[in-house]
Short mmCIF file of all heavy atoms in Angstrom, two decimals:
data_model
loop_
_atom_site.label_atom_id
_atom_site.label_comp_id
_atom_site.label_asym_id
_atom_site.label_seq_id
_atom_site.Cartn_x
_atom_site.Cartn_y
_atom_site.Cartn_z
N MET X 1 -32.65 21.90 -100.83
CA MET X 1 -33.07 20.55 -101.12
C MET X 1 -33.86 20.55 -102.43
O MET X 1 -34.70 21.41 -102.66
CB MET X 1 -33.94 20.03 -99.97
CG MET X 1 -34.40 18.59 -100.21
SD MET X 1 -35.61 17.99 -99.02
CE MET X 1 -34.68 17.98 -97.53
N SER X 2 -33.58 19.60 -103.27
CA SER X 2 -34.30 19.55 -104.55
C SER X 2 -35.68 18.93 -104.37
O SER X 2 -35.91 18.14 -103.46
CB SER X 2 -33.50 18.73 -105.57
OG SER X 2 -33.40 17.40 -105.14
N GLU X 3 -36.57 19.32 -105.28
CA GLU X 3 -37.92 18.76 -105.23
C GLU X 3 -37.90 17.32 -105.69
O GLU X 3 -37.07 16.91 -106.49
CB GLU X 3 -38.86 19.58 -106.11
CG GLU X 3 -39.27 20.88 -105.48
CD GLU X 3 -40.47 21.48 -106.18
OE1 GLU X 3 -41.38 20.73 -106.57
OE2 GLU X 3 -40.48 22.70 -106.33
N ARG X 4 -38.82 16.57 -105.20
CA ARG X 4 -38.96 15.17 -105.57
C ARG X 4 -39.42 15.07 -107.03
O ARG X 4 -40.29 15.83 -107.47
CB ARG X 4 -40.01 14.53 -104.65
CG ARG X 4 -40.13 13.07 -104.77
CD ARG X 4 -41.05 12.56 -103.68
NE ARG X 4 -41.10 11.13 -103.71
CZ ARG X 4 -42.18 10.41 -103.54
NH1 ARG X 4 -43.33 11.01 -103.29
NH2 ARG X 4 -42.15 9.11 -103.58
N GLU X 5 -38.85 14.14 -107.77
CA GLU X 5 -39.21 13.92 -109.16
C GLU X 5 -40.69 13.53 -109.23
O GLU X 5 -41.15 12.67 -108.48
CB GLU X 5 -38.34 12.80 -109.74
CG GLU X 5 -38.67 12.39 -111.14
CD GLU X 5 -38.37 13.44 -112.18
OE1 GLU X 5 -37.40 14.21 -112.00
OE2 GLU X 5 -39.10 13.48 -113.18
N TRP X 6 -41.44 14.18 -110.12
CA TRP X 6 -42.89 13.98 -110.19
C TRP X 6 -43.26 12.53 -110.48
O TRP X 6 -44.31 12.06 -110.05
CB TRP X 6 -43.52 14.93 -111.20
CG TRP X 6 -43.19 14.67 -112.64
CD1 TRP X 6 -42.21 15.27 -113.36
CD2 TRP X 6 -43.82 13.76 -113.53
NE1 TRP X 6 -42.19 14.79 -114.64
CE2 TRP X 6 -43.18 13.84 -114.77
CE3 TRP X 6 -44.88 12.86 -113.40
CZ2 TRP X 6 -43.54 13.08 -115.87
CZ3 TRP X 6 -45.25 12.10 -114.50
CH2 TRP X 6 -44.59 12.21 -115.71
N ARG X 7 -42.40 11.79 -111.18
CA ARG X 7 -42.73 10.40 -111.53
C ARG X 7 -42.89 9.51 -110.28
O ARG X 7 -43.62 8.54 -110.31
CB ARG X 7 -41.66 9.84 -112.45
CG ARG X 7 -41.73 10.42 -113.84
CD ARG X 7 -40.57 9.89 -114.70
NE ARG X 7 -40.64 10.38 -116.05
CZ ARG X 7 -40.12 11.52 -116.46
NH1 ARG X 7 -39.49 12.31 -115.62
NH2 ARG X 7 -40.23 11.91 -117.72
N PHE X 8 -42.20 9.87 -109.22
CA PHE X 8 -42.33 9.09 -107.98
C PHE X 8 -43.74 9.21 -107.40
O PHE X 8 -44.22 8.30 -106.72
CB PHE X 8 -41.29 9.51 -106.95
CG PHE X 8 -39.88 9.13 -107.34
CD1 PHE X 8 -38.93 10.11 -107.57
CD2 PHE X 8 -39.52 7.80 -107.48
CE1 PHE X 8 -37.64 9.77 -107.93
CE2 PHE X 8 -38.24 7.44 -107.83
CZ PHE X 8 -37.28 8.42 -108.07
N TYR X 9 -44.38 10.32 -107.66
CA TYR X 9 -45.75 10.49 -107.19
C TYR X 9 -46.71 9.54 -107.89
O TYR X 9 -47.72 9.13 -107.30
CB TYR X 9 -46.22 11.95 -107.35
CG TYR X 9 -45.52 12.88 -106.39
CD1 TYR X 9 -44.49 13.71 -106.81
CD2 TYR X 9 -45.89 12.92 -105.05
CE1 TYR X 9 -43.84 14.55 -105.93
CE2 TYR X 9 -45.25 13.77 -104.15
CZ TYR X 9 -44.22 14.58 -104.61
OH TYR X 9 -43.59 15.41 -103.72
N LEU X 10 -46.40 9.15 -109.10
CA LEU X 10 -47.22 8.14 -109.79
C LEU X 10 -47.15 6.81 -109.04
O LEU X 10 -48.18 6.14 -108.86
CB LEU X 10 -46.76 7.96 -111.23
CG LEU X 10 -46.94 9.15 -112.17
CD1 LEU X 10 -46.33 8.83 -113.53
CD2 LEU X 10 -48.40 9.51 -112.30
N ASP X 11 -45.95 6.43 -108.61
CA ASP X 11 -45.80 5.20 -107.82
C ASP X 11 -46.60 5.29 -106.53
O ASP X 11 -47.26 4.33 -106.12
CB ASP X 11 -44.34 4.93 -107.50
CG ASP X 11 -43.51 4.59 -108.73
OD1 ASP X 11 -44.07 4.05 -109.70
OD2 ASP X 11 -42.29 4.86 -108.70
N ASP X 12 -46.54 6.45 -105.89
CA ASP X 12 -47.31 6.65 -104.66
C ASP X 12 -48.80 6.50 -104.93
O ASP X 12 -49.52 5.85 -104.16
CB ASP X 12 -47.06 8.06 -104.09
CG ASP X 12 -45.66 8.25 -103.56
OD1 ASP X 12 -44.95 7.25 -103.34
OD2 ASP X 12 -45.28 9.42 -103.38
N MET X 13 -49.27 7.10 -106.02
CA MET X 13 -50.69 7.05 -106.35
C MET X 13 -51.15 5.61 -106.57
O MET X 13 -52.22 5.21 -106.10
CB MET X 13 -50.98 7.91 -107.58
CG MET X 13 -50.81 9.40 -107.32
SD MET X 13 -50.79 10.41 -108.82
CE MET X 13 -52.46 10.18 -109.38
N ILE X 14 -50.33 4.83 -107.26
CA ILE X 14 -50.67 3.42 -107.48
C ILE X 14 -50.72 2.69 -106.14
O ILE X 14 -51.65 1.90 -105.88
CB ILE X 14 -49.66 2.77 -108.44
CG1 ILE X 14 -49.84 3.35 -109.84
CG2 ILE X 14 -49.79 1.26 -108.45
CD1 ILE X 14 -48.71 3.01 -110.81
N SER X 15 -49.76 2.94 -105.28
CA SER X 15 -49.72 2.29 -103.97
C SER X 15 -50.95 2.65 -103.13
O SER X 15 -51.58 1.77 -102.51
CB SER X 15 -48.45 2.70 -103.23
OG SER X 15 -48.43 2.16 -101.94
N PHE X 16 -51.32 3.93 -103.13
CA PHE X 16 -52.50 4.36 -102.36
C PHE X 16 -53.77 3.71 -102.91
O PHE X 16 -54.65 3.29 -102.14
CB PHE X 16 -52.64 5.88 -102.38
CG PHE X 16 -51.48 6.60 -101.73
CD1 PHE X 16 -51.00 7.78 -102.28
CD2 PHE X 16 -50.88 6.12 -100.59
CE1 PHE X 16 -49.95 8.46 -101.71
CE2 PHE X 16 -49.81 6.79 -99.99
CZ PHE X 16 -49.34 7.96 -100.56
N ALA X 17 -53.87 3.61 -104.23
CA ALA X 17 -55.05 2.99 -104.84
C ALA X 17 -55.11 1.50 -104.51
O ALA X 17 -56.18 0.96 -104.20
CB ALA X 17 -55.04 3.19 -106.35
N GLU X 18 -53.97 0.83 -104.54
CA GLU X 18 -53.94 -0.60 -104.20
C GLU X 18 -54.35 -0.83 -102.75
O GLU X 18 -55.07 -1.78 -102.45
CB GLU X 18 -52.54 -1.17 -104.45
CG GLU X 18 -52.20 -1.31 -105.91
CD GLU X 18 -50.76 -1.70 -106.19
OE1 GLU X 18 -49.89 -1.56 -105.30
OE2 GLU X 18 -50.51 -2.15 -107.32
N LYS X 19 -53.90 0.04 -101.87
CA LYS X 19 -54.30 -0.08 -100.46
C LYS X 19 -55.81 0.12 -100.30
O LYS X 19 -56.46 -0.63 -99.58
CB LYS X 19 -53.55 0.95 -99.60
CG LYS X 19 -52.11 0.60 -99.38
CD LYS X 19 -51.44 1.67 -98.53
CE LYS X 19 -49.97 1.38 -98.34
NZ LYS X 19 -49.32 2.41 -97.50
N ALA X 20 -56.35 1.13 -100.97
CA ALA X 20 -57.79 1.38 -100.88
C ALA X 20 -58.58 0.17 -101.38
O ALA X 20 -59.58 -0.22 -100.77
CB ALA X 20 -58.16 2.63 -101.68
N LEU X 21 -58.12 -0.43 -102.46
CA LEU X 21 -58.79 -1.64 -102.97
C LEU X 21 -58.68 -2.79 -101.98
O LEU X 21 -59.65 -3.51 -101.75
CB LEU X 21 -58.20 -2.04 -104.32
CG LEU X 21 -58.54 -1.13 -105.49
CD1 LEU X 21 -57.71 -1.52 -106.71
CD2 LEU X 21 -60.02 -1.18 -105.80
N ALA X 22 -57.52 -2.96 -101.38
CA ALA X 22 -57.32 -4.04 -100.42
C ALA X 22 -58.20 -3.85 -99.18
O ALA X 22 -58.76 -4.82 -98.65
CB ALA X 22 -55.85 -4.12 -100.01
N TYR X 23 -58.33 -2.61 -98.73
CA TYR X 23 -59.12 -2.34 -97.53
C TYR X 23 -60.62 -2.54 -97.76
O TYR X 23 -61.37 -2.70 -96.79
CB TYR X 23 -58.89 -0.92 -97.03
CG TYR X 23 -57.46 -0.63 -96.61
CD1 TYR X 23 -56.96 0.67 -96.66
CD2 TYR X 23 -56.61 -1.63 -96.18
CE1 TYR X 23 -55.66 0.95 -96.28
CE2 TYR X 23 -55.31 -1.36 -95.80
CZ TYR X 23 -54.84 -0.07 -95.84
OH TYR X 23 -53.55 0.22 -95.47
N THR X 24 -61.05 -2.49 -98.99
CA THR X 24 -62.48 -2.62 -99.28
C THR X 24 -62.84 -3.96 -99.91
O THR X 24 -64.03 -4.23 -100.13
CB THR X 24 -62.94 -1.50 -100.23
OG1 THR X 24 -62.17 -1.57 -101.45
CG2 THR X 24 -62.76 -0.13 -99.60
N GLU X 25 -61.85 -4.80 -100.16
CA GLU X 25 -62.11 -6.08 -100.82
C GLU X 25 -63.09 -6.93 -100.02
O GLU X 25 -62.93 -7.13 -98.82
CB GLU X 25 -60.80 -6.85 -101.02
CG GLU X 25 -60.97 -8.11 -101.82
CD GLU X 25 -59.64 -8.78 -102.12
OE1 GLU X 25 -58.58 -8.21 -101.82
OE2 GLU X 25 -59.68 -9.89 -102.66
N GLY X 26 -64.11 -7.40 -100.70
CA GLY X 26 -65.09 -8.29 -100.09
C GLY X 26 -66.13 -7.60 -99.22
O GLY X 26 -66.96 -8.28 -98.62
N LEU X 27 -66.07 -6.29 -99.12
CA LEU X 27 -67.03 -5.57 -98.28
C LEU X 27 -68.13 -4.95 -99.14
O LEU X 27 -67.84 -4.34 -100.17
CB LEU X 27 -66.33 -4.44 -97.51
CG LEU X 27 -65.20 -4.83 -96.56
CD1 LEU X 27 -64.58 -3.58 -95.96
CD2 LEU X 27 -65.68 -5.76 -95.48
N ASP X 28 -69.36 -5.09 -98.69
CA ASP X 28 -70.42 -4.34 -99.35
C ASP X 28 -70.44 -2.94 -98.72
O ASP X 28 -69.74 -2.68 -97.74
CB ASP X 28 -71.77 -5.04 -99.25
CG ASP X 28 -72.26 -5.23 -97.81
OD1 ASP X 28 -71.73 -4.56 -96.90
OD2 ASP X 28 -73.16 -6.05 -97.61
N GLN X 29 -71.22 -2.04 -99.28
CA GLN X 29 -71.20 -0.66 -98.82
C GLN X 29 -71.60 -0.54 -97.34
O GLN X 29 -70.98 0.20 -96.58
CB GLN X 29 -72.11 0.21 -99.68
CG GLN X 29 -72.04 1.67 -99.28
CD GLN X 29 -72.86 2.58 -100.18
OE1 GLN X 29 -73.52 2.12 -101.11
NE2 GLN X 29 -72.83 3.86 -99.92
N LYS X 30 -72.61 -1.28 -96.94
CA LYS X 30 -73.10 -1.18 -95.56
C LYS X 30 -72.00 -1.62 -94.58
O LYS X 30 -71.75 -0.95 -93.57
CB LYS X 30 -74.34 -2.05 -95.39
CG LYS X 30 -74.94 -1.99 -94.01
CD LYS X 30 -76.20 -2.85 -93.92
CE LYS X 30 -76.76 -2.81 -92.51
NZ LYS X 30 -77.96 -3.63 -92.38
N THR X 31 -71.35 -2.72 -94.86
CA THR X 31 -70.29 -3.23 -93.99
C THR X 31 -69.10 -2.29 -94.00
O THR X 31 -68.49 -2.02 -92.95
CB THR X 31 -69.85 -4.64 -94.45
OG1 THR X 31 -71.00 -5.48 -94.49
CG2 THR X 31 -68.82 -5.23 -93.52
N PHE X 32 -68.76 -1.78 -95.18
CA PHE X 32 -67.64 -0.85 -95.29
C PHE X 32 -67.86 0.40 -94.44
O PHE X 32 -66.99 0.81 -93.67
CB PHE X 32 -67.44 -0.48 -96.76
CG PHE X 32 -66.50 0.67 -96.98
CD1 PHE X 32 -65.15 0.56 -96.70
CD2 PHE X 32 -66.97 1.88 -97.47
CE1 PHE X 32 -64.28 1.62 -96.90
CE2 PHE X 32 -66.11 2.94 -97.68
CZ PHE X 32 -64.76 2.81 -97.40
N VAL X 33 -69.02 0.99 -94.56
CA VAL X 33 -69.32 2.22 -93.82
C VAL X 33 -69.38 1.95 -92.31
O VAL X 33 -68.96 2.78 -91.51
CB VAL X 33 -70.63 2.86 -94.34
CG1 VAL X 33 -71.06 4.02 -93.47
CG2 VAL X 33 -70.46 3.32 -95.78
N ALA X 34 -69.86 0.79 -91.94
CA ALA X 34 -69.99 0.46 -90.52
C ALA X 34 -68.64 0.16 -89.87
O ALA X 34 -68.50 0.28 -88.65
CB ALA X 34 -70.92 -0.74 -90.35
N ASN X 35 -67.66 -0.23 -90.66
CA ASN X 35 -66.36 -0.56 -90.12
C ASN X 35 -65.46 0.67 -90.16
O ASN X 35 -64.87 0.99 -91.20
CB ASN X 35 -65.73 -1.71 -90.93
CG ASN X 35 -64.43 -2.20 -90.33
OD1 ASN X 35 -63.60 -1.42 -89.90
ND2 ASN X 35 -64.27 -3.50 -90.31
N GLY X 36 -65.36 1.35 -89.05
CA GLY X 36 -64.61 2.60 -88.98
C GLY X 36 -63.16 2.48 -89.41
O GLY X 36 -62.62 3.37 -90.07
N LEU X 37 -62.52 1.39 -89.06
CA LEU X 37 -61.11 1.21 -89.39
C LEU X 37 -60.91 1.13 -90.90
O LEU X 37 -60.07 1.83 -91.47
CB LEU X 37 -60.56 -0.04 -88.71
CG LEU X 37 -59.07 -0.30 -88.88
CD1 LEU X 37 -58.25 0.84 -88.27
CD2 LEU X 37 -58.70 -1.62 -88.22
N HIS X 38 -61.70 0.30 -91.57
CA HIS X 38 -61.59 0.17 -93.03
C HIS X 38 -61.99 1.47 -93.71
O HIS X 38 -61.35 1.90 -94.67
CB HIS X 38 -62.46 -0.98 -93.54
CG HIS X 38 -61.88 -2.32 -93.27
ND1 HIS X 38 -62.26 -3.45 -93.94
CD2 HIS X 38 -60.93 -2.73 -92.39
CE1 HIS X 38 -61.58 -4.48 -93.50
NE2 HIS X 38 -60.78 -4.06 -92.53
N TYR X 39 -63.05 2.07 -93.22
CA TYR X 39 -63.54 3.33 -93.81
C TYR X 39 -62.47 4.42 -93.71
O TYR X 39 -62.12 5.05 -94.70
CB TYR X 39 -64.83 3.76 -93.12
CG TYR X 39 -65.44 5.01 -93.69
CD1 TYR X 39 -66.29 4.94 -94.78
CD2 TYR X 39 -65.15 6.26 -93.16
CE1 TYR X 39 -66.85 6.09 -95.33
CE2 TYR X 39 -65.70 7.40 -93.70
CZ TYR X 39 -66.55 7.32 -94.78
OH TYR X 39 -67.10 8.46 -95.32
N ASP X 40 -61.95 4.63 -92.49
CA ASP X 40 -60.96 5.69 -92.30
C ASP X 40 -59.68 5.43 -93.08
O ASP X 40 -59.11 6.36 -93.67
CB ASP X 40 -60.62 5.83 -90.80
CG ASP X 40 -61.76 6.43 -89.99
OD1 ASP X 40 -62.71 6.97 -90.59
OD2 ASP X 40 -61.69 6.36 -88.75
N ALA X 41 -59.22 4.19 -93.11
CA ALA X 41 -58.00 3.87 -93.85
C ALA X 41 -58.19 4.10 -95.35
O ALA X 41 -57.30 4.61 -96.02
CB ALA X 41 -57.59 2.43 -93.58
N THR X 42 -59.35 3.74 -95.85
CA THR X 42 -59.63 3.92 -97.27
C THR X 42 -59.71 5.39 -97.62
O THR X 42 -59.09 5.85 -98.59
CB THR X 42 -60.94 3.21 -97.66
OG1 THR X 42 -60.82 1.82 -97.34
CG2 THR X 42 -61.25 3.37 -99.13
N VAL X 43 -60.45 6.15 -96.84
CA VAL X 43 -60.59 7.59 -97.09
C VAL X 43 -59.22 8.27 -97.02
O VAL X 43 -58.89 9.11 -97.86
CB VAL X 43 -61.59 8.23 -96.11
CG1 VAL X 43 -61.54 9.75 -96.18
CG2 VAL X 43 -63.00 7.74 -96.40
N ARG X 44 -58.42 7.89 -96.05
CA ARG X 44 -57.09 8.50 -95.92
C ARG X 44 -56.24 8.22 -97.15
O ARG X 44 -55.55 9.12 -97.65
CB ARG X 44 -56.39 8.00 -94.66
CG ARG X 44 -55.01 8.56 -94.48
CD ARG X 44 -55.03 10.06 -94.29
NE ARG X 44 -53.67 10.56 -94.11
CZ ARG X 44 -53.24 11.71 -94.57
NH1 ARG X 44 -54.06 12.54 -95.19
NH2 ARG X 44 -52.01 12.08 -94.39
N ASN X 45 -56.27 7.01 -97.65
CA ASN X 45 -55.47 6.69 -98.83
C ASN X 45 -55.99 7.41 -100.07
O ASN X 45 -55.21 7.80 -100.93
CB ASN X 45 -55.39 5.18 -99.04
CG ASN X 45 -54.29 4.58 -98.20
OD1 ASN X 45 -53.14 4.59 -98.61
ND2 ASN X 45 -54.63 4.10 -97.03
N LEU X 46 -57.29 7.61 -100.15
CA LEU X 46 -57.84 8.39 -101.27
C LEU X 46 -57.41 9.86 -101.16
O LEU X 46 -57.12 10.50 -102.17
CB LEU X 46 -59.36 8.26 -101.32
CG LEU X 46 -59.89 6.87 -101.68
CD1 LEU X 46 -61.40 6.83 -101.57
CD2 LEU X 46 -59.42 6.45 -103.06
N GLU X 47 -57.34 10.37 -99.93
CA GLU X 47 -56.85 11.74 -99.73
C GLU X 47 -55.39 11.85 -100.16
O GLU X 47 -55.00 12.81 -100.85
CB GLU X 47 -56.95 12.13 -98.26
CG GLU X 47 -58.35 12.34 -97.76
CD GLU X 47 -58.41 12.54 -96.25
OE1 GLU X 47 -57.40 12.28 -95.55
OE2 GLU X 47 -59.47 12.95 -95.77
N LEU X 48 -54.58 10.87 -99.77
CA LEU X 48 -53.17 10.88 -100.14
C LEU X 48 -52.99 10.76 -101.65
O LEU X 48 -52.11 11.40 -102.23
CB LEU X 48 -52.43 9.74 -99.42
CG LEU X 48 -52.30 9.90 -97.91
CD1 LEU X 48 -51.78 8.62 -97.28
CD2 LEU X 48 -51.39 11.08 -97.57
N LEU X 49 -53.83 9.95 -102.28
CA LEU X 49 -53.79 9.81 -103.73
C LEU X 49 -54.05 11.17 -104.39
O LEU X 49 -53.34 11.58 -105.30
CB LEU X 49 -54.81 8.77 -104.18
CG LEU X 49 -54.73 8.28 -105.61
CD1 LEU X 49 -55.37 6.91 -105.70
CD2 LEU X 49 -55.36 9.21 -106.59
N GLY X 50 -55.07 11.85 -103.92
CA GLY X 50 -55.40 13.16 -104.48
C GLY X 50 -54.29 14.18 -104.24
O GLY X 50 -53.98 14.98 -105.13
N GLU X 51 -53.69 14.13 -103.08
CA GLU X 51 -52.59 15.04 -102.78
C GLU X 51 -51.40 14.76 -103.70
O GLU X 51 -50.78 15.69 -104.24
CB GLU X 51 -52.17 14.89 -101.33
CG GLU X 51 -51.09 15.86 -100.90
CD GLU X 51 -50.73 15.72 -99.43
OE1 GLU X 51 -51.63 15.45 -98.61
OE2 GLU X 51 -49.54 15.86 -99.11
N ALA X 52 -51.08 13.50 -103.90
CA ALA X 52 -49.98 13.14 -104.80
C ALA X 52 -50.27 13.61 -106.22
O ALA X 52 -49.37 14.05 -106.94
CB ALA X 52 -49.73 11.64 -104.76
N ALA X 53 -51.53 13.54 -106.63
CA ALA X 53 -51.92 13.94 -107.98
C ALA X 53 -51.64 15.42 -108.23
O ALA X 53 -51.37 15.82 -109.37
CB ALA X 53 -53.39 13.64 -108.22
N THR X 54 -51.66 16.23 -107.19
CA THR X 54 -51.40 17.66 -107.37
C THR X 54 -49.95 17.93 -107.75
O THR X 54 -49.63 19.02 -108.20
CB THR X 54 -51.74 18.47 -106.11
OG1 THR X 54 -50.85 18.11 -105.05
CG2 THR X 54 -53.18 18.26 -105.69
N HIS X 55 -49.07 16.94 -107.57
CA HIS X 55 -47.66 17.10 -107.90
C HIS X 55 -47.32 16.70 -109.33
O HIS X 55 -46.17 16.83 -109.75
CB HIS X 55 -46.80 16.29 -106.93
CG HIS X 55 -46.87 16.80 -105.53
ND1 HIS X 55 -46.13 17.87 -105.09
CD2 HIS X 55 -47.60 16.38 -104.47
CE1 HIS X 55 -46.42 18.10 -103.82
NE2 HIS X 55 -47.31 17.21 -103.42
N ILE X 56 -48.32 16.23 -110.07
CA ILE X 56 -48.10 15.87 -111.46
C ILE X 56 -48.21 17.16 -112.28
O ILE X 56 -49.24 17.85 -112.23
CB ILE X 56 -49.14 14.83 -111.96
CG1 ILE X 56 -49.19 13.60 -111.02
CG2 ILE X 56 -48.85 14.43 -113.40
CD1 ILE X 56 -47.88 12.88 -110.85
N PRO X 57 -47.17 17.50 -113.03
CA PRO X 57 -47.19 18.76 -113.79
C PRO X 57 -48.34 18.81 -114.80
O PRO X 57 -48.73 17.79 -115.36
CB PRO X 57 -45.84 18.77 -114.52
CG PRO X 57 -45.00 17.76 -113.83
CD PRO X 57 -45.92 16.76 -113.22
N SER X 58 -48.84 20.00 -115.03
CA SER X 58 -49.99 20.15 -115.93
C SER X 58 -49.66 19.71 -117.34
O SER X 58 -50.54 19.17 -118.03
CB SER X 58 -50.50 21.59 -115.92
OG SER X 58 -49.47 22.47 -116.33
N ASP X 59 -48.42 19.88 -117.79
CA ASP X 59 -48.09 19.42 -119.14
C ASP X 59 -48.19 17.91 -119.26
O ASP X 59 -48.53 17.37 -120.31
CB ASP X 59 -46.72 19.93 -119.59
CG ASP X 59 -45.58 19.45 -118.70
OD1 ASP X 59 -45.78 19.33 -117.48
OD2 ASP X 59 -44.48 19.22 -119.24
N GLN X 60 -47.92 17.20 -118.17
CA GLN X 60 -48.06 15.75 -118.17
C GLN X 60 -49.54 15.36 -118.10
O GLN X 60 -49.96 14.39 -118.71
CB GLN X 60 -47.30 15.13 -117.00
CG GLN X 60 -45.80 15.29 -117.10
CD GLN X 60 -45.25 14.66 -118.36
OE1 GLN X 60 -45.62 13.56 -118.75
NE2 GLN X 60 -44.36 15.39 -119.03
N ARG X 61 -50.32 16.11 -117.35
CA ARG X 61 -51.77 15.84 -117.29
C ARG X 61 -52.41 16.05 -118.64
O ARG X 61 -53.35 15.32 -119.00
CB ARG X 61 -52.43 16.77 -116.27
CG ARG X 61 -52.05 16.46 -114.85
CD ARG X 61 -52.86 17.32 -113.92
NE ARG X 61 -52.01 17.76 -112.84
CZ ARG X 61 -52.38 18.59 -111.89
NH1 ARG X 61 -53.57 19.13 -111.93
NH2 ARG X 61 -51.56 18.92 -110.94
N ASP X 62 -51.92 17.01 -119.39
CA ASP X 62 -52.48 17.29 -120.71
C ASP X 62 -52.25 16.15 -121.70
O ASP X 62 -53.00 16.01 -122.67
CB ASP X 62 -51.89 18.59 -121.28
CG ASP X 62 -52.31 19.81 -120.47
OD1 ASP X 62 -53.31 19.73 -119.72
OD2 ASP X 62 -51.63 20.85 -120.61
N VAL X 63 -51.23 15.34 -121.45
CA VAL X 63 -50.93 14.20 -122.32
C VAL X 63 -52.05 13.17 -122.27
O VAL X 63 -52.35 12.48 -123.25
CB VAL X 63 -49.58 13.56 -121.95
CG1 VAL X 63 -49.34 12.28 -122.71
CG2 VAL X 63 -48.45 14.55 -122.19
N CYS X 64 -52.70 13.06 -121.10
CA CYS X 64 -53.78 12.07 -120.90
C CYS X 64 -55.02 12.78 -120.38
O CYS X 64 -55.40 12.63 -119.22
CB CYS X 64 -53.33 11.00 -119.92
SG CYS X 64 -51.92 10.05 -120.44
N PRO X 65 -55.71 13.53 -121.23
CA PRO X 65 -56.85 14.33 -120.76
C PRO X 65 -58.03 13.47 -120.29
O PRO X 65 -58.89 13.97 -119.56
CB PRO X 65 -57.23 15.15 -121.98
CG PRO X 65 -56.71 14.38 -123.15
CD PRO X 65 -55.47 13.68 -122.65
N ALA X 66 -58.06 12.18 -120.64
CA ALA X 66 -59.17 11.33 -120.21
C ALA X 66 -59.06 10.96 -118.73
O ALA X 66 -60.03 10.51 -118.13
CB ALA X 66 -59.21 10.06 -121.06
N ILE X 67 -57.88 11.16 -118.14
CA ILE X 67 -57.68 10.84 -116.73
C ILE X 67 -57.92 12.10 -115.91
O ILE X 67 -57.20 13.09 -116.08
CB ILE X 67 -56.26 10.30 -116.48
CG1 ILE X 67 -56.01 9.06 -117.30
CG2 ILE X 67 -56.06 10.04 -114.98
CD1 ILE X 67 -54.59 8.55 -117.23
N PRO X 68 -58.95 12.06 -115.06
CA PRO X 68 -59.25 13.27 -114.27
C PRO X 68 -58.15 13.57 -113.24
O PRO X 68 -57.47 12.73 -112.78
CB PRO X 68 -60.56 12.94 -113.57
CG PRO X 68 -60.90 11.54 -113.88
CD PRO X 68 -59.88 11.00 -114.82
#
């Protein structure tokens, strides 16, 4: 089986970030932390975003060094 094209991981990263923003919209920190469902969903999407980022080749990361 061939590996997934790295560009698709960029789409995934955008989707995970949009979900994290949607789950936290309108919540202050206290409310966000107190709401386990929103907190867990947000943290999970941030984890998935980070995992997807590991699939971006280093030569592509070097093109945009300002992006951690």
Side-chain angles (χ1 to χ4, degrees):
M1 181 188 295
S2 64
E3 283 196 39
R4 188 172 185 221
E5 175 68 32
W6 68 265
R7 288 176 177 88
F8 291 117
Y9 290 102
L10 294 175
D11 293 332
D12 292 344
M13 292 168 67
I14 291 168
S15 176
F16 298 141
E18 288 173 342
K19 286 180 183 181
L21 289 171
Y23 297 154
T24 58
E25 186 174 353
L27 300 177
D28 61 17
Q29 184 176 2
K30 182 178 178 181
T31 305
F32 168 67
V33 172
N35 186 318
L37 184 62
H38 284 199
Y39 182 86
D40 289 347
T42 302
V43 169
R44 179 63 180 145
N45 276 276
L46 293 175
E47 290 172 347
L48 292 170
L49 192 156
E51 184 178 324
T54 66
H55 294 279
I56 308 302
S58 59
D59 60 325
Q60 294 301 316
R61 291 186 219 176
D62 293 342
V63 173
C64 298
I67 301 174

